[in-house]
Amino acid sequence: MKRALVIPIFAISALMSGQESLSCDSLERWAPREARWWKELQRATADWDLSLEIQTRWEGAVCEAALELERIAVRRAEAEARNDAALADSLSALRAEETAIRSARNAQLLASLPLEWWPAMQEVLDPPKPAVLHFGVHDRMKCEVCVPGAE
């Protein structure tokens, strides 16, 4: 919990102190979750022939979204610290904001691509859910999911 407070506060305090805007180069330091997402997006689209302009737009969209998401993380930590009666309402409102920011970021990424690449990009942005929900108490030695080839 302490780590979640330190990183977002660093990001916001750096912006408020008049330092230059945070760059994607230091994204791992001030937004580790979004940095992992950005690296995964780069890995998934590495074999695509993307222009420098598209890559620059993507980097800007990802950094803007990461900054907004970190600001929300700070507000969430402050709300949890207050522990007031309306905590559930404020947390659900923050979750809705996060969803809206991520949707806007994904729409911005899609808008920068030609239409023929949209289906492939949709698969990268919204991967399909696993076909098997696997949980519960069961005999793991006979489970085909736990042990491939088990009978």
Side-chain angles (χ1 to χ4, degrees), residues 84-105:
D84 56 359
L87 178 63
D89 293 337
S90 61
L91 290 179
S92 65
L94 291 173
R95 254 185 256 112
E97 276 186 60
E98 285 177 339
T99 302
I101 289 169
R102 286 192 176 105
S103 295
R105 175 199 62 201

Side-chain angles (χ1 to χ4, degrees), residues 27-146:
L27 191 63
E28 286 183 13
R29 200 174 74 219
W30 59 271
R33 182 177 178 192
E34 292 303 307
R36 284 190 303 274
W37 186 89
W38 173 237
K39 283 186 179 182
E40 179 61 25
L41 178 67
Q42 288 176 323
R43 186 198 60 75
T45 60
D47 58 344
W48 297 8
D49 190 24
L50 298 174
S51 69
L52 184 60
E53 179 186 353
I54 290 175
Q55 292 175 6
T56 304
R57 281 190 208 164
W58 282 15
E59 186 174 2
V62 168
C63 285
E64 287 175 27
L67 181 58
E68 290 301 316
L69 291 169
E70 290 304 311
R71 286 182 176 149
I72 290 173
V74 169
R75 291 186 1 228
R76 174 183 286 128
E78 290 170 351
E80 289 172 349
R82 283 193 312 262
N83 198 14
D84 56 359
L87 178 63
D89 293 337
S90 61
L91 290 179
S92 65
L94 291 173
R95 254 185 256 112
E97 276 186 60
E98 285 177 339
T99 302
I101 289 169
R102 286 192 176 105
S103 295
R105 175 199 62 201
N106 292 349
Q108 194 173 1
L109 295 178
L110 270 176
S112 66
L113 289 175
L115 286 175
E116 58 268 8
W117 287 7
W118 281 29
M121 187 63 174
Q122 279 293 91
E123 288 183 23
V124 171
L125 294 176
D126 297 320
K129 295 192 189 293
V132 177
L133 292 177
H134 191 71
F135 54 88
V137 177
H138 62 284
D139 186 357
R140 294 181 183 201
M141 295 306 291
K142 294 181 180 176
C143 177
E144 292 180 10
V145 176
C146 292

Side-chain angles (χ1 to χ4, degrees), residues 3-24:
R3 185 171 182 233
L5 286 172
V6 173
I7 293 170
I9 291 173
F10 166 74
I12 302 305
S13 64
L15 286 178
M16 293 178 151
S17 67
Q19 294 179 0
E20 291 200 21
S21 64
L22 299 170
S23 68
C24 276

